[in-house]
Every structure is written in C-alpha cells, then in structure tokens.
Amino acid sequence: MPFIPHTEDDIREMLAALGTASIGVLFDEIPASLRCRPLDLPPALKEMEVARLMHARAGQNRPLLCFAGAGAYEHHVPAAVWAVAGRGEFYSAYTPYQAEASQGTLHVLYEYQSMMASLTALDVSNASLYDGATSLAEAVLMAVRTNRKSHSRRILMPKTVHPFYRRVVETIVGSQALELIELPYDLETGRIDPAALETHSGTDVAALVIPQINFFGVLEAVDELTDWAAANGAIAIALVNPMALAVLKPPGEWGREGADIACGDGQPLGIPLSGGGPYFGFMCCRKAHLHQLPGRLVGRTVDVDGKPGFTLTLQAREQHIRRGRATSNICTNQGLMVTAATIYMALLGPEGLRRVALQSHRNTVSLMQGLAGIEGVDRVFAGPFFHEAVIRTRRPAREIMDGLAERGILGGYELTREYPELGEAILVCVTETRTREDIESYLCEIASLLGHD
C-alpha cells in the first residue's frame, strides 16, 4: 500500500470542513508536557543517497556466532515457511472482519488455535496477542477478572520471570489497582523459593505466575506450584516457552488440575531474530474462562450446504463492544507472524518439534560439560535446565562478553545489572543450530580469555 501524504491544500480543506483553525486544536486534550517537541531530523536525502546510506549502515553489521537467548531464540526456519507466509494473500491481509472475503486467513488462524491448544493441553487458544510480555500482562488482568472469589487483586510475580516482562506488566497493570508481589528465588536451585511462597498460604491471592522454563533456564517445580495455587484459591498462570512444550509436560496437565491460563512469546515457532521483532504473543485457557480470554477467536461452522466455513466468534468479549468493557484491544498480529508459526508447526509436526527441542537440550548439556572442565567457570544453579543455563566467571562478565565478541561470538546475556547478587554471571543459550565445532569454538575462546592458552 503506497504512502500518500496529505498536501497543505488537503489539510486546509479538512480543517475548514471541521471549522478548526489548526491541527494543534485537535490534540488540545493532551497536556503540553506530554507532547513531542520538534524532531531533530537531518536534511532530506534523495532516493539514491538513502540507498547508499543504508548499504553503508548494513555493511557495519558483523555476524556473530549466537549463544544468546534470554527470551529470543535462534532456531532454524525452513525456507518454505516464509515462502508461503510471504505470498500476497497472507503478506498484506488485513484483519479478517469480513468472513466471506477472508476464508483463507480465518482457516489459517483456526488451525493455529487448534495447534496451540494441543501444544498447551488447554481447551481454547486465541488468535494471538502482541508479544510475550504483553500476553503476560493480559493474562494477569484476565486472572483478576476471572477470580471473583478473590478481592485482593494481589498477583505473585516470581523474580525468575524475565525482567523485561515484569517491567511491561508493571507498566500495563500499574495504574489498575493491582498489587504485584515479587517472589524471590532459591540461590542454590534457581527456582522459586518454596519458603517464600508458603508465607502467602491462606492469604487472599488472585493469581500466581509460573514460568516454565524460568529466566535462568531452570525448570520450575510446576506440579507443586500449580497445586499450591489451586489450594489457595489463586489462578495459575503458566508463562511457557512453546518449543520446550514439545518435550515437557504441558500446562494443562500440571498438578492435579492443570494451569488455568498459559501464555508466552511465539517467536521460537518460525519467527527469525530481527532486532527484537516483530514477534507475537499467545494465550490459551480452560473452557471455563473462555469469556474472559482477550484477543480474537476464530470459530468453525458449516453453511446450508454442509460445507465448512470460518468466522470470528464470541465477539462480545472483544473490542467491538464499548472500549471500557472489552477484554483487550491488542489483537493485531494475526496477519503474518501467526501465519508463519502455523506453517512452521505444520511442516515440523509434533515429532519435528520434539527433535528440535531435544537437540537444543543435548547441545546445551554438551556446552555445560565442557565449561565444567575450565578453571574459572562455574555453573550457578543446580536445578535441571532445558537450553539455557547461568555461568559465573572469575573475570568480569563484561570483559568476557567483549572478548568473545572480538572473536566473533555473541557469548550470552550478562546478568549483572538485573541480578547483581549473582556476581559475574552470564546466561548462555544453545539451540539446535549450533554445531559441535561451534561449541568447541566457544569453549576454546572462553578458556583463552581466562588465561588457559
């Protein structure tokens, strides 16, 4: 779709029709202190000059061997995924409000919902949200709406949840009279501290967030945590990595009753790393909570001739009603990211996803075993892991990361800022894309940086 800016004559004509003197009058409800000041932009360039500038900037990029995760993961994406998702029917499709003209898009979304419900072992999936962090915020709001026995609006938020996610949740729910209570972690295992959780037993808690896998890459004791939530009248919110669900117990089967809500970021399912996005969030829940589920739902029916058809359904939950009564207004990602994820899951199937997950775990085990033999490197937590783990080095983490980068390796995610109590700690990730030679290279270079030449 071409961008066609308004001319000065267009603007004058529209203002005259409105009986308004200037565009600024239209925004007078926004306090002056919140408005952007004039942007400090460089002079305009010609098309050829812009192309030359972009090529020069792109040339400054240096590809690094990636051992970083921390919420965004490098998985192999088969070429067929984006060859299909990039077709015009999907690439430029708008929200499928008009069912008779959007059967292809609606069908894809229906298949996506079916796959995600199967992956999480829960009854219902929506058709996606913005990203993993906002899906957690929406899950927290949904839990408060759902848990009518609770009057406290208190949410237990473990410190083992991604720190960026916690900040997004605080931003979104902070002005809605919800209380986020931080749960500390056990310094030995890297899991939620069970003693800290017990201090809330018998109190009015609306929901407990359970990350699996947690931000340290450690597997939480999800069965015990889910049962604790059920016993204390709290909604259990599972924050999960969808790739890990190919080999781990799904949220719908946690504990005696299963989690109530599952959410997370769908990036591992066929979405490439690209400077932080665009990604997409997912959310599933039990059928009993269906009417509080945010985002869109696609339903399947049959026409008068018995042929299957698809349409948006249960829209009284969504933004078609008054804004203040809608469950959410974040529903914009279905057009492309979810299409790619659906194709990715369809191509790999359950067995393909399982192989990716297992190979990622095997590679991580191989790296950790190699690091254990290097003096000056220690694994921080004793708990079981999937494809990430925290290491501590005797040299400052910043120096290790810079040294690896100079050798062409993105060595992980430095934890010293968000978790200073861990010392010189680095979160390292290995997916199925890393070869034996890649892992040997990492071990060799970090040993060199620690003086083991």
Side-chain angles (χ1 to χ4, degrees), residues 109-437:
L109 295 178
Y110 181 82
E111 298 298 338
Y112 162 80
Q113 293 174 181
S114 302
M115 292 177 187
M116 294 308 297
S118 175
L119 199 58
T120 58
L122 286 167
D123 302 316
V124 188
S125 166
N126 70 9
S128 87
L129 292 165
Y130 184 66
D131 63 10
T134 52
S135 74
L136 177 58
E138 294 286 350
V140 167
L141 293 170
M142 176 181 170
V144 172
R145 292 194 302 268
T146 300
N147 194 347
R148 297 184 179 179
K149 293 181 180 178
S150 172
H151 302 288
S152 70
R153 302 169 72 86
R154 297 166 70 226
I155 309 295
L156 299 183
M157 180 69 71
K159 199 174 179 181
T160 56
V161 169
H162 196 306
F164 293 0
Y165 282 32
R166 285 185 275 131
R167 285 184 217 164
V168 170
V169 173
E170 288 169 6
T171 300
I172 294 178
V173 311
S175 60
Q176 303 196 39
L178 271 64
E179 183 183 2
L180 299 174
I181 301 173
E182 185 176 283
L183 277 181
Y185 60 91
D186 185 286
L187 287 171
E188 293 292 326
T189 65
R191 291 175 162 179
I192 296 170
D193 185 348
L197 183 62
E198 277 308 309
T199 62
H200 298 281
S201 290
T203 65
D204 186 356
V205 172
L208 167 66
V209 176
I210 306 172
Q212 184 72 319
I213 299 106
N214 73 26
F215 184 63
F216 299 137
V218 176
L219 275 63
E220 296 278 4
V222 293
D223 292 328
E224 290 85 345
L225 293 169
T226 306
D227 286 343
W228 184 94
N232 287 275
I235 295 290
I237 301 173
L239 175 63
V240 292
N241 179 325
M243 183 60 74
L245 295 183
V247 292
L248 299 179
K249 184 190 291 186
E253 298 175 5
W254 291 358
R256 287 186 289 275
E257 299 179 11
D260 296 276
I261 304 168
C263 63
D265 202 305
Q267 180 273 325
L269 302 174
I271 313 301
L273 299 176
S274 53
Y279 298 158
F280 74 92
F282 64 86
M283 188 180 294
C284 303
C285 70
R286 297 187 196 176
K287 187 177 180 179
H289 308 320
L290 168 62
H291 288 275
Q292 295 301 332
L293 182 66
R296 292 180 184 137
L297 289 176
V298 176
R300 181 183 183 277
T301 185
V302 293
D303 64 13
V304 292
D305 299 320
K307 297 178 181 176
F310 304 89
T311 186
L312 294 178
T313 187
L314 292 168
Q315 296 183 57
R317 316 154 17 268
E318 216 231 303
Q319 79 269 38
H320 302 285
I321 59 178
R322 283 186 298 167
R323 174 184 287 263
R325 297 180 62 83
T327 53
S328 173
N329 286 284
I330 301 178
C331 315
T332 57
N333 270 30
Q334 295 91 326
L336 194 58
M337 298 301 114
V338 166
T339 298
T342 307
I343 297 164
Y344 178 85
M345 288 189 283
L347 282 173
L348 270 66
E351 179 58 24
L353 290 176
R354 196 178 74 85
R355 290 181 185 179
V356 170
L358 286 176
Q359 189 58 48
S360 299
H361 177 64
R362 290 191 194 103
N363 286 347
T364 310
V365 170
S366 177
L367 181 70
M368 289 302 120
Q369 289 175 340
L371 288 171
I374 299 176
E375 184 182 353
V377 181
D378 299 305
R379 190 176 155 225
V380 174
F381 299 119
F385 59 84
F386 172 53
H387 67 355
E388 285 181 285
V390 178
I391 61 171
R392 185 187 292 119
T393 62
R394 70 183 179 197
R395 280 188 68 180
R398 183 70 268 159
E399 293 181 9
I400 294 293
M401 294 287 286
D402 289 344
L404 289 172
E406 290 174 0
R407 292 161 167 80
I409 295 174
L410 182 57
Y413 181 83
E414 191 181 339
L415 296 173
T416 50
R417 184 166 56 182
E418 285 93 0
Y419 300 93
E421 68 275 13
L422 296 179
E424 302 300 332
I426 301 171
L427 179 65
V428 182
C429 175
V430 195
T431 67
E432 86 285 3
T433 59
R434 296 284 69 87
T435 65
R436 180 185 297 274
E437 291 73 22

Side-chain angles (χ1 to χ4, degrees), residues 22-94:
S22 70
I23 293 178
V25 175
L26 303 177
F27 298 99
D28 61 2
E29 291 185 1
I30 302 174
S33 60
L34 298 180
R35 299 182 198 176
C36 292
R37 284 168 284 187
L39 300 176
D40 183 18
L41 297 176
L45 300 177
K46 297 177 182 176
E47 180 179 337
M48 188 172 66
E49 294 170 329
V50 171
R52 178 176 295 179
L53 176 64
M54 291 298 104
H55 281 299
R57 294 275 172 84
Q60 295 175 2
N61 288 332
R62 188 162 64 98
L64 298 175
L65 196 59
C66 182
F67 284 84
Y73 303 98
E74 182 186 16
H75 289 292
H76 173 67
V77 181
V81 171
W82 284 93
V84 177
R87 288 176 58 98
E89 302 93 314
F90 297 123
Y91 201 72
S92 60
Y94 186 58

